[in-house]
Amino acid sequence: MGNRSILSSLWRNDDHVSDETGDHSRARSDETTTTTSSIDTSSSSSSLMAKLRSQPLDTSSILYPTLTLHPSPIHHNILVLSLSHVSNAPPTLSNDELFNVLLKRLEPWVGEEGEGGYVLIVLADEDHSGKEKEKRNLPGIAWWVWRWKRLPRKYRKNLKRLYIVRPSLFTRTLLPFIIPFISPKSYSKLHPLPSLLSLYHAHKVPLKGIDISLSVVEAESRVLKERPDIIPPTPPTRGKNVGTEAVPTLKRIDSESSLASWGYQTISSAMETAASYLPIPHFGLGSYDNQQSPLVSGNKGYWGRDLDDLIRAAEGNVNGGIPSLLVDLGKAILQECIRTEGVFRRTSNSHLVPTLIAILDVPISQQPNLPWPEIAKEDPLLPPKILSRFLGDMKEPILTNSVYDLIRRTRTIEDIKTRFIPSLSSSTSLLLNYLIDLLHQLSLYCETTRMNSLNLAIVIAPVLIHGPDPIEDTILCLEPSKPIPPGLRKMAEINGLNLATEEGVDEGQRSNTLVGMLDMWIKDYPIS
């Protein structure tokens, strides 16, 4: 979202912009009657600007560019219209007035007729949260059709694709019947989609730059629960070409087809569009192309990645080489989770987990902006769960069994500084330093979270190691001051593990564990 600061002139509503809007309205007064009806007259514009002066209007979250291009063959700018953010507009503005303001914001990206073009993604989910604020009632489909017919020609002509993500049942039922009779060319641009993820998986459209609200994440969760086939199956072996399941697509009609053909294609497409929203088998309704699945080819998401590759990809960013996901999760945890008892220890049963996992499995360079502070506020246990999953789902464990003996011999902070950290790779050292810093700051709120440095070490240690012997891993995740349970000790001896104790230490106890080392590190961070 920070990249949009360079476009601030598009979103301001001061007196200067007000004058421009007045000039814009007067310039359009000489056009045809149809064009003139879509733009405010001088008197209505003055009334609108008076309202904007009394109530500043920020449309940067309602209509904004993603600063990315649509994939071939339509290489044009992508813009997003988020209906869930419409409630941020002043309630005194009518839908007609708000539409004209958004039209003004859209104009720089439209270009002149026959030159340039743009792609519009409509996130059709409404914001159902916030009972204390007045809810804006969005107009029905008749209003949108009426507005579309009265748009200046360049807005319609230069629109190359229109994606409507999760349209309502009423909208997706009527659109296939209405749009062809308005304009067959317009209908060929229309792509109603059941899910935001299908925008990427079915159409290869990058999700980068799209700001997802909590209501959008919740809507995605409901859709994916009913339609898990939206996401292509993950291949059983990484790197292999695996075929994907058939997924319905919306048929297009030729702009030169006859009226009879329009009618046939309209009915056919309406049935297919309706079928794409129902959990029924899809026979002969199209499929993903036979190209390699986006999850298999090229760049990957955050799951099952090599740590060195992730750190290398993040080099040069504003986070100092730390993956953006970790930074966003860390900020959300320290902002919203510090008042929750048992954070990291208690697990989240949120229905949003599968959706977040699916979104984070999209290639990192293609991922949308997730509202982690909102998610953490809704469920403070969810960001720690995602962070723990990330750490435990690496291609290789963060700490391999090659450092186990060194962990056992690490008894002081000086040992961590002079022995343990120098033995790590630069990527592992960078990640652990960030993680320990986060846990240290979180431990300062132990009075409310009931999670001191030892408790945090106990819950985070198991996700950092995954050696060939689970018994050895289990012993390393015990508190160093407590004896090894007899049953666990016996299994360790059967496996041939060396549990010899040091001189002066009682039988049944060991030198140190990963939990003990992490406890010291978290408690005394930063190491001077």
Side-chain angles (χ1 to χ4, degrees):
M1 189 182 298
N3 292 334
R4 293 189 212 124
S5 60
I6 62 175
L7 307 171
S8 57
S9 61
L10 298 178
W11 317 123
R12 288 198 301 267
N13 282 289
D14 49 18
D15 291 341
H16 177 67
V17 175
S18 302
D19 294 338
E20 287 183 353
T21 305
D23 295 339
H24 174 71
S25 299
R26 289 189 292 273
R28 295 298 182 197
S29 62
D30 295 331
E31 296 185 1
T32 62
T33 304
T34 301
T35 302
T36 305
S37 63
S38 66
I39 306 296
D40 286 337
T41 61
S42 298
S43 59
S44 61
S45 178
S46 300
S47 175
L48 172 59
M49 290 308 124
K51 289 185 178 182
L52 292 179
R53 291 189 188 97
S54 62
Q55 296 193 61
L57 174 61
D58 179 16
T59 59
S60 61
S61 60
I62 302 176
L63 177 65
Y64 56 87
T66 65
L67 304 181
T68 58
L69 295 178
H70 191 280
S72 179
I74 304 175
H75 291 291
H76 294 290
N77 290 307
I78 300 176
L79 293 100
V80 176
L81 174 62
S82 176
L83 299 187
S84 65
H85 288 96
V86 170
S87 57
N88 296 336
T92 55
L93 283 179
S94 68
N95 288 322
D96 289 332
E97 293 169 334
L98 179 59
F99 183 85
N100 286 324
V101 172
L102 295 177
L103 206 63
K104 176 65 177 177
R105 300 295 184 265
L106 181 62
E107 186 174 16
W109 301 95
V110 173
E112 296 302 322
E113 183 178 341
E115 299 179 3
Y118 67 102
V119 175
L120 185 62
I121 300 173
V122 179
L123 302 181
D125 298 292
E126 298 183 40
D127 185 8
H128 300 288
S129 62
K131 296 181 180 179
E132 71 281 356
K133 62 184 179 183
E134 181 180 347
K135 180 182 176 182
R136 173 180 291 274
N137 293 321
L138 296 178
I141 190 172
W143 183 89
W144 290 103
V145 172
W146 180 81
R147 273 294 185 179
W148 174 261
K149 291 286 290 183
R150 285 158 180 78
L151 274 177
R153 178 176 170 81
K154 68 176 184 179
Y155 287 88
R156 291 177 283 138
K157 181 73 174 178
N158 289 358
L159 177 62
K160 304 304 180 182
R161 287 282 179 90
L162 174 60
Y163 296 102
I164 304 180
V165 180
R166 286 182 302 277
S168 66
L169 177 62
F170 177 75
T171 301
R172 64 178 180 254
T173 302
L174 290 186
L175 270 180
F177 290 99
I178 295 177
I179 297 297
F181 298 100
I182 296 176
S183 169
K185 292 184 179 180
S186 299
Y187 181 58
S188 66
K189 303 174 182 179
L190 177 65
H191 295 260
L193 299 172
S195 165
L196 183 65
L197 283 170
S198 62
L199 182 64
Y200 170 73
H201 290 300
H203 296 274
K204 310 296 189 295
V205 177
L207 306 182
K208 181 181 179 181
I210 299 179
D211 297 331
I212 299 182
S213 64
L214 181 59
S215 61
V216 172
V217 178
E218 291 175 339
E220 283 287 306
S221 178
R222 292 191 296 270
V223 172
L224 292 181
K225 184 177 181 180
E226 299 173 357
R227 289 286 312 280
D229 60 300
I230 288 175
I231 303 175
T234 303
T237 304
R238 294 182 181 275
K240 287 188 177 181
N241 293 340
V242 180
T244 55
E245 297 178 353
V247 175
T249 56
L250 185 65
K251 285 188 177 179
R252 305 285 167 241
I253 60 175
D254 191 341
S255 60
E256 298 179 357
S257 299
S258 63
L259 182 60
S261 177
W262 294 356
Y264 172 79
Q265 293 284 5
T266 297
I267 297 174
S268 174
S269 183
M271 296 298 293
E272 294 179 15
T273 303
S276 69
Y277 287 86
L278 299 176
I280 59 177
H282 309 284
F283 301 105
L285 297 181
S287 64
Y288 286 113
D289 54 34
N290 293 325
Q291 298 176 1
Q292 200 173 359
S293 168
L295 290 178
V296 182
S297 61
N299 190 17
K300 300 181 180 66
Y302 282 105
W303 311 123
R305 292 293 301 277
D306 180 78
L307 179 59
D308 291 335
D309 290 344
L310 274 178
I311 298 298
R312 193 179 303 113
E315 287 180 354
N317 65 13
V318 295
N319 304 321
I322 300 297
S324 299
L325 174 63
L326 295 187
V327 176
D328 294 339
L329 289 173
K331 291 179 180 178
I333 289 171
L334 295 179
Q335 179 179 340
E336 300 293 345
C337 305
I338 56 178
R339 293 172 293 276
T340 302
E341 183 176 343
V343 61
F344 274 105
R345 175 176 57 81
R346 295 165 55 199
T347 186
S348 171
N349 296 319
S350 173
H351 62 285
L352 302 181
V353 172
T355 301
L356 294 174
I357 291 175
I359 293 175
L360 294 173
D361 206 16
V362 171
I364 296 175
S365 61
Q366 310 280 329
Q367 290 182 9
N369 302 319
L370 286 166
W372 289 115
E374 294 180 53
I375 293 173
K377 190 173 183 179
E378 180 74 14
D379 183 359
L381 301 177
L382 186 50
K385 179 172 183 175
I386 297 296
L387 177 58
S388 297
R389 181 187 175 96
F390 168 80
L391 295 173
D393 199 48
M394 303 297 295
K395 184 177 181 180
E396 298 291 338
I398 304 297
L399 298 175
T400 63
N401 61 334
S402 62
V403 298
Y404 284 6
D405 288 338
L406 186 56
I407 291 174
R408 295 187 184 98
R409 297 195 302 268
T410 302
R411 304 178 186 87
T412 65
I413 289 295
E414 188 65 21
D415 289 340
I416 297 177
K417 179 181 178 181
T418 60
R419 290 183 178 182
F420 181 72
I421 294 180
S423 70
L424 304 175
S425 66
S426 58
S427 299
T428 303
S429 177
L430 182 65
L431 177 64
L432 283 180
N433 268 288
Y434 176 81
L435 178 63
I436 298 301
D437 183 15
L438 171 63
L439 297 178
H440 171 74
Q441 295 184 60
L442 185 60
S443 68
L444 301 179
Y445 300 92
C446 61
E447 290 187 2
T448 55
T449 63
R450 306 298 181 188
M451 296 296 290
N452 56 26
S453 59
L454 176 60
N455 294 334
L456 290 171
I458 290 174
V459 297
I460 209 67
V463 302
L464 299 180
I465 59 175
H466 185 67
D469 190 344
I471 302 299
E472 186 177 19
D473 290 348
T474 302
I475 293 175
L476 278 173
C477 293
L478 298 177
E479 293 183 50
S481 60
K482 295 184 178 180
I484 301 175
L488 188 60
R489 168 173 284 277
K490 186 172 183 63
M491 287 188 291
E493 292 173 350
I494 293 175
N495 287 358
L497 295 179
N498 183 12
L499 299 179
T501 57
E502 294 180 310
E503 184 179 355
V505 179
D506 294 337
E507 182 70 22
Q509 293 184 338
R510 60 204 175 285
S511 305
N512 203 355
T513 64
L514 178 58
V515 168
M517 187 190 72
L518 291 176
D519 180 25
M520 287 190 300
W521 199 353
I522 295 171
K523 188 181 301 181
D524 295 326
Y525 188 88
I527 301 175
S528 57

